[in-house]
Every structure is written in C-alpha cells, then in structure tokens.
Amino acid sequence: RVEDGDLKRVAKATGATIQTSTNGIFEGVLGTCANFEEKQVGDERFNLFTGCPNSLTTTMILRGGSEQFIAESERSIHDSLMVVKRSLKSKAVVAGGGAIEMEVAKYLKEHALTIEGKGQLVVNAFARALEIVPRQLCDNAGFDSNDILSSLRRKHTQDENGTWYGVDIENGDIMDTFVAGVWEPSDNKSNSLASASEAACVILSIDETVINPRSQDPGAANGMMGGGMGGQGPGLSNTMAGAMDAVNAQKGGSRSGNLGNGVSYLKGRGGG
C-alpha cells in the first residue's frame, strides 16, 4: 500500500482528489502530469511524476556510503528547511554568527552599571553567558576564540555600525553577517533567550536534594515490615532472628539490645 503522506503529496502536485473506492470515479477527481516513469535508484524503485501543474512538492533522494552519513544529511536538510519555514512565518530575521548575542551582551553590560546591589552580578553573568555562542563558533571552526571575541567586543562597543558584526568562520575574523546573508529567524532567537532564562530559574529554585540512604542490612527492610518482633515471626528475616536469639541467650533473655554498630532491637512482650 502507498503511504498516506505519499498519497497526499501526489494529489497536491497533480491536482487529483484522493478516493476511498474505485466506484463512481469521474474526470474531475483525476490528476495530470507531463511525464510519469518508474526508475531504479539503488535497491529501490521510484515512481517519478514530472511536469505537474502544481509544482509545490518536491522529493529529494539522499544517497551515501553509510546509514550514518545519510541520517546526518537528512537532519541537516531538515534543519535547513525548518529555518526557512520559521523565517517565512516570523517575517523578521537577525544577523547570525553570534552578532545578536554580542549586541545583547553589550547592552546588558551597560545596563548592569545602573543597577545597585547583587543584581548587577546577575546581569553581568547573563551577558557573559551570551558570549558563549560566538566563542563556540570560533572553537568549532578551529580559530582562537579569545582574539575574535576581543575584536567583536571592540567593534560592538566603539563602532555605531557594528551592530551586526559576527564571526567569520571562513577567514577567522569578524564581518557584517547581515550583509553576508548569515541570518536567523528573530522568533527562534527570542524563544532561545526565553527558554534559557526559564531553565536557569528552574535550576536555581532547587535548593536541596534529599536522598534516602540504602540500608546496609539486606534483611532490615523485611524485619521492619513484620507485625511483631518476637521469635522468628513472618516479618523477621532469618539472619536477624538468629542474631537476636544469640544475644538473648547471652543476656539471659533481654528484650532489647544492640546487634552491632547502628543496629538495635526491641522485642515485644508477646514474643515469648
């Protein structure tokens, strides 16, 4: 059977209407295309529809030497398509290459000077965290991140036209990434900043982690579950009961005592 997604794409490209039955088919539900052919690509055979009246759908066939290579190529293409889709939806873009992070960091550092108290440290820490993005771009490209970040700070601080300057990963320098066509959807950048702030607040709100230590005696939990501590009841492990009987014999039938370091017992009066 043909997958539902393939049916919808073919119907959209050819102008056809999907039918659930072969009865009552008329010309109005049929689609058209200039050429239809079946081709062998690798181990699979594909049906190719070319010259469709509504060329809004396209099928890309990825070929590679290994499954890992194909999977990585598929993820890269998917990410590229999603970025374009998000850009069209948001209808606004900002410069990439760490340019927007450096500009926001510069503004936060200037704003921190107007804050009194410990809040200034928080704003400065947030600004330093934003600079990790261009620093990581430099490290991934194999360049010295300290030199490039120093140039970016000077450009964004001293030059009024340095707002869109980011990392040039091709030449190991800085450039106007907006002019170079390195863009990012503004909605993505806003969501990233908001999500990072919320995640940091959640982590900071956790002030203590409580861990219940595991008992060193494997039978201690079973012994505590018993209804009484007398004799060798059903809730008392054999190891614990034998140790208690040995201690009782030494102490003349004492109803309480210590079995070892950190382990004590108390026998009820119904225990004999």
Side-chain angles (χ1 to χ4, degrees):
R1 295 178 58 85
V2 181
E3 295 183 1
D4 183 66
D6 293 340
L7 280 176
K8 292 180 179 179
R9 281 191 290 269
V10 171
K12 188 174 183 179
T14 59
T17 303
I18 299 176
Q19 302 294 306
T20 59
S21 174
T22 57
N23 297 327
I25 294 180
F26 59 97
E27 186 177 357
V29 300
L30 300 178
T32 59
C33 67
N35 297 301
F36 170 78
E37 57 180 334
E38 185 177 354
K39 276 190 175 183
Q40 180 82 21
V41 180
D43 297 333
E44 300 289 338
R45 300 188 66 86
F46 294 90
N47 297 326
L48 304 182
F49 299 83
T50 57
C52 298
N54 300 322
S55 56
L56 298 178
T57 60
T58 301
T59 301
M60 290 181 287
I61 301 176
L62 303 179
R63 301 182 66 183
S66 63
E67 292 293 335
Q68 292 80 2
F69 177 80
I70 296 177
E72 185 64 28
S73 301
E74 182 181 0
R75 284 192 294 268
S76 299
I77 293 176
H78 180 269
D79 293 342
S80 302
L81 293 175
M82 291 301 102
V83 168
V84 174
K85 177 182 177 181
R86 179 63 66 179
S87 300
L88 294 175
K89 283 188 174 182
S90 65
K91 298 181 180 179
V93 294
V94 295
I100 189 65
E101 284 81 7
M102 293 300 300
E103 185 66 20
V104 175
K106 183 202 75 171
Y107 173 80
L108 290 177
K109 290 178 181 178
E110 295 176 352
H111 178 67
L113 298 177
T114 63
I115 301 176
E116 297 181 0
K118 297 181 180 179
Q120 183 179 133
L121 300 176
V122 176
V123 177
N124 279 325
F126 196 99
R128 289 195 303 271
L130 291 175
E131 294 183 353
I132 294 178
V133 174
R135 182 182 295 277
Q136 193 63 47
L137 290 175
C138 298
D139 293 338
N140 292 344
F143 300 117
D144 189 349
S145 58
N146 293 325
D147 293 342
I148 296 179
L149 254 67
S150 298
S151 301
L152 284 175
R153 293 190 191 102
R154 182 172 60 255
K155 190 68 175 179
H156 281 263
T157 303
Q158 299 178 359
D159 192 350
E160 295 181 355
N161 298 322
T163 303
W164 303 125
Y165 270 74
V167 180
D168 182 3
I169 62 174
E170 294 183 354
N171 303 315
D173 201 355
I174 64 175
M175 67 175 181
D176 191 331
T177 53
F178 195 88
V179 175
V182 182
W183 301 338
E184 294 186 52
S186 59
D187 287 352
N188 281 11
K189 194 58 62 176
S190 300
N191 292 337
S192 299
L193 294 175
S195 300
S197 302
E198 292 175 1
C201 292
V202 169
I203 294 174
L204 292 175
S205 64
I206 302 174
D207 57 352
E208 186 179 1
T209 302
V210 179
I211 301 177
N212 185 21
R214 183 175 296 178
S215 176
Q216 296 180 358
D217 186 0
N222 294 331
M224 287 301 183
M225 293 297 292
M229 296 295 291
Q232 297 183 9
L236 192 64
S237 67
N238 293 332
T239 303
M240 180 70 76
M244 289 177 60
D245 292 340
V247 173
N248 287 336
Q250 295 175 1
K251 296 186 176 182
S254 176
R255 296 184 179 274
S256 62
N258 295 324
L259 297 179
N261 293 332
V263 182
S264 60
Y265 71 91
L266 176 64
K267 292 183 63 175
R269 292 186 178 276

